[in-house]
Amino acid sequence: PLWFKDKDGFMMSLNDAYEKAFLLPIGMTRADYIGFKDVKIWGPEVADIFEHNDNEAKDLGAASALIFERVEKNILNNYTFYKYPKYVDGILVGVGGIATPIRP
């Protein structure tokens, strides 16, 4: 699963794997998420974790930096999340993310 949020935390895009792994199991689709913040989908507890780590990724200031994130809640606890800042012409435009499944 892959996604991209703008610098203000609004979901701009996500791929089919994200929708299948995270949204469909909770009765949502990408249309419910695109253009909205994490709190709409995940509630304030998880959204606060995501926002904190998004801000850490932005503060790193290097396109190659990664933030590792675990969420001990619902379907999210089966994945590790990697976040990175995205720049265009040296200007921060948002935070991208990749989720990888945790293998037993």
Side-chain angles (χ1 to χ4, degrees):
L2 306 169
W3 65 94
F4 178 76
K5 291 184 243 176
D6 73 7
K7 63 183 176 61
D8 297 317
F10 290 91
M11 184 63 73
M12 301 306 296
S13 66
L14 55 90
N15 68 358
D16 291 343
Y18 188 104
E19 185 176 43
K20 182 178 177 184
F22 302 127
L23 298 178
L24 295 178
I26 60 170
M28 303 273 191
T29 68
R30 73 181 65 219
D32 296 310
Y33 207 169
I34 302 295
F36 295 95
K37 291 191 171 193
D38 297 324
V39 70
K40 179 182 180 200
I41 302 298
W42 303 113
E45 181 184 348
V46 172
D48 286 349
I49 294 168
F50 287 170
E51 182 178 10
H52 171 77
N53 291 328
D54 289 350
N55 288 333
E56 266 195 47
K58 290 187 277 189
D59 290 345
L60 290 172
S64 61
L66 291 174
I67 296 293
F68 302 97
E69 174 177 76
R70 283 289 311 274
V71 178
E72 300 295 332
K73 185 172 174 124
N74 58 46
I75 60 174
L76 300 174
N77 66 355
N78 296 320
Y79 290 82
T80 298
F81 299 90
Y82 303 89
K83 295 184 171 184
Y84 56 91
K86 177 66 177 161
Y87 293 86
V88 173
D89 294 329
I91 298 170
L92 177 70
V93 295
V95 173
I98 303 165
T100 60
I102 297 170
R103 304 284 180 208

